[in-house]
Amino acid sequence: MTATGTTALPGVAAEAALAVPGVAALQPRLARRLAAAAAPTRADTTPPEAGVRADRAPDGSGWHIEVRCVLTEGRRALDIARIVHDRVTAALVTHLATHGAAEPVTVAVTVTGIAAWRDAA
């Protein structure tokens, strides 16, 4: 593979997921959150790509991407998850093709929570 690796794919996936209306944020996996909590300096600037995991398929034939989303309330979670799935898949396929690495991509979207919307008025 050329310049595309595990480090570039989470950023592409995070950008595509966060562009979907109804996605409030991406949530890091538990291990990342525990590591951040144990860090001596509490920097609450977790990058969005921390909510995305990119792994090579076990047989090396492509990529498996997991996106962990927190959604805004008032929308059907299933509809938003499907849109996130489709947009992330399209963005990754385009990204890989642009870098000469046209490989299969499977995307799993997990809804980890619903963010309550509060009116500031």
Side-chain angles (χ1 to χ4, degrees), residues 26-99:
L26 300 182
Q27 184 177 41
R29 295 177 58 82
L30 180 60
R32 175 100 184 211
R33 292 188 321 212
L34 289 173
T41 58
R42 290 277 301 185
D44 290 333
T45 56
T46 303
E49 51 274 354
V52 178
R53 182 177 178 163
D55 294 316
R56 292 292 282 164
D59 62 357
S61 64
W63 291 93
H64 177 73
I65 309 295
E66 178 190 11
V67 182
R68 299 172 49 85
C69 299
V70 176
L71 307 182
T72 57
E73 68 179 357
R75 298 182 180 227
R76 278 185 35 147
L78 178 61
D79 294 339
I80 302 304
R82 284 181 178 161
I83 294 168
V84 169
H85 175 272
D86 294 345
R87 291 201 184 164
V88 167
T89 301
L92 291 171
V93 167
T94 301
H95 178 78
L96 288 168
T98 301
H99 290 87

